Amino acid sequence: MILPEAFIQRTQALLGQEFDAFCDALEKDAPVSIRLNPRKIAATPALEKVAWCDTGYYLPSRPVFTLDPLFHAGLYYVQEASSMFLEQVVKNYVKEPIKALDLCAAPGGKSTHLASLLPEGSLLVSNEYVRSRAYILAENMKKWGTPSAVVCNNTPAQISKLSSFFDLILVDAPCSGEGMFRKDEGAIAEWSPENVKNCVARQGDLLEEIWSALREDGILIYSTCTYNRQENEERVQWIMDELGAELIDVPLEDSWGVTKSEYGYRFYPHKTKGEGFFMAVLRKTASENILRIKPQKQNTKYTCEQLSALEYILHPNDYLLHTDKNGLFAFSKKYSDEIAYLMKNLFVLHAGISLGEWKGKSFIPDAGLAFSEELLPDAFVRVEVDMQTALNFLRTENIVLTDAPQGIVLLTYKKHPIGFVKNLGNRCNSLYPSEWRIRMNIPQEIEQLENNIIPLLWRG
């Protein structure tokens, strides 16, 4: 691996005698890790565990995740192990329901993790500024199945108007990506001292813009996937001095190999089993004008047909109905005013449970309903399919269900929902979004493919 000379000089100064060990680690293959969805998987796989994450595991090799239907069903997320350290912050400092924001959330690694970690009754807002990436984020959050999540596509400046709205904000900041050199040669080609300088300026702008949305005594989690001090320790010092915050300690175990610096926690590939990563946790000391959200005017007049859509979820009395051009949604009564306010002031792509829409006298379920934790188990006829049929469906190719009744059918693979079809007898109309479809070709050795993927994760 050929590293930029300026990067070598900076990192040598940072690591000293450890630099050679660091370079040796960069020549080795990056570990492959996944994080299970605890609300969809009860079994514990016989795999090496990520020490700082209860649901994180290392795989002995990298399967073709795209061709695993269980991946598309939201049973696990492919995530770099170091970034799973987020779990330790939440476990130590979040004890009761909160309102949380993941500011730079796409494609959804840390948001899906937060969705699993936050106490029951919390509200999670996942934001992504780039429109195309925001839709990918919405897809991943729908598949993860958390009913209390909101996905939006806004700038930090737009969100900053929600003064003191959030109890916790995660800023996984855009950075120079030095920690990804081992996995992404493109990150090496794009690196330069000037790019580092630009990242520092961009980080300062978005932190300053979003700061007012965090309440006094609220928690800021700041992270990067880079090594240099300008984007890490010096940026944290700037937050403390300019914005008003104090550092919070996160308990460590020596066996993890995490390096504690004066302003945060560093992950080096020669010391921890993961990629380069930095995280700092701060408590806001500066005060803000608190936004008082008044009761929001909401539509309470729905047709009997629209209201009947709530019958497809487990706890219909806990949710309110909302309808817009994208169909019907259900969201928690607890946060009804807050979600209505967010919908009024932000560009919201997804909120709560996507139910579907009525077309004539027929209810057409949204693809996201198939993956929701709140889906009533017997709400739809279920048909178990093999891997070949599952992959054909995920490619939005035509499938035939000869023994299934006509009408809306929920397909399952290894008993886990993968999506809806409308069975017409001689063929099925897929209700799987075309933008979600698998574009990779399916190999002919389908049985061998299944044997390569499933044993790595779990059987059954």
Side-chain angles (χ1 to χ4, degrees), residues 3-4 25 31 44 88 94 110 139 143 145 172 192 253 278 301 320 343 345 349 370 393 397:
L3 298 172
T44 301
Q88 296 304 313
V94 182
K110 292 181 178 66
E139 174 188 346
K143 289 181 175 179
D172 189 34
S192 69
E253 293 186 17
F278 173 86
K301 296 180 180 180
L320 291 176
M343 287 182 166
N345 291 277
L349 299 179
F393 166 74
E397 295 177 355

Side-chain angles (χ1 to χ4, degrees), residues 258-422:
V258 180
T259 301
K260 182 178 181 181
S261 73
E262 70 271 37
Y263 291 119
Y265 302 90
R266 286 178 165 268
F267 289 71
Y268 292 111
H270 66 292
K271 300 179 73 172
T272 55
K273 193 170 182 179
E275 296 301 85
F277 185 67
F278 173 86
M279 180 175 284
V281 189
L282 304 102
R283 178 176 283 114
K284 182 174 180 177
T285 56
S287 60
E288 297 285 349
N289 293 323
I290 300 176
L291 173 68
R292 305 293 183 185
I293 296 179
K294 300 177 181 179
Q296 299 294 298
K297 184 178 181 180
Q298 300 181 34
N299 179 25
T300 57
K301 296 180 180 180
Y302 297 100
T303 66
C304 292
E305 286 183 337
Q306 289 174 328
L307 289 171
S308 68
L310 291 171
E311 296 174 2
Y312 295 106
I313 62 178
L314 285 168
H315 305 97
N317 293 332
D318 294 342
Y319 294 88
L320 291 176
L321 199 62
H322 171 76
T323 182
D324 61 21
K325 63 180 181 180
N326 296 313
L328 291 164
F329 300 85
F331 49 77
S332 171
K333 289 180 178 179
K334 177 180 178 180
Y335 290 112
S336 61
D337 288 334
E338 286 85 351
I339 294 177
Y341 185 83
L342 292 175
M343 287 182 166
K344 182 179 178 181
N345 291 277
L346 300 179
F347 184 66
V348 174
L349 299 179
H350 165 68
I353 307 168
S354 298
L355 296 172
E357 60 181 331
W358 283 92
K359 291 187 176 180
K361 295 184 178 181
S362 299
F363 179 73
I364 308 301
D366 186 90
L369 181 60
F371 310 107
S372 176
E373 297 170 18
E374 278 288 306
L375 176 65
L376 194 66
D378 58 354
F380 299 92
V381 174
R382 295 187 175 216
V383 174
E384 179 75 6
V385 297
D386 59 18
M387 189 174 195
Q388 180 70 66
T389 305
L391 290 175
N392 288 341
F393 166 74
L394 292 169
R395 282 173 54 87
T396 64
E397 295 177 355
N398 183 48
I399 63 171
V400 178
L401 303 176
T402 56
D403 297 327
Q406 293 190 22
I408 302 298
V409 172
L410 177 61
L411 302 184
T412 63
Y413 173 74
K414 295 191 177 296
K415 301 181 180 180
H416 295 283
I418 59 172
F420 295 104
V421 296
K422 185 174 183 179

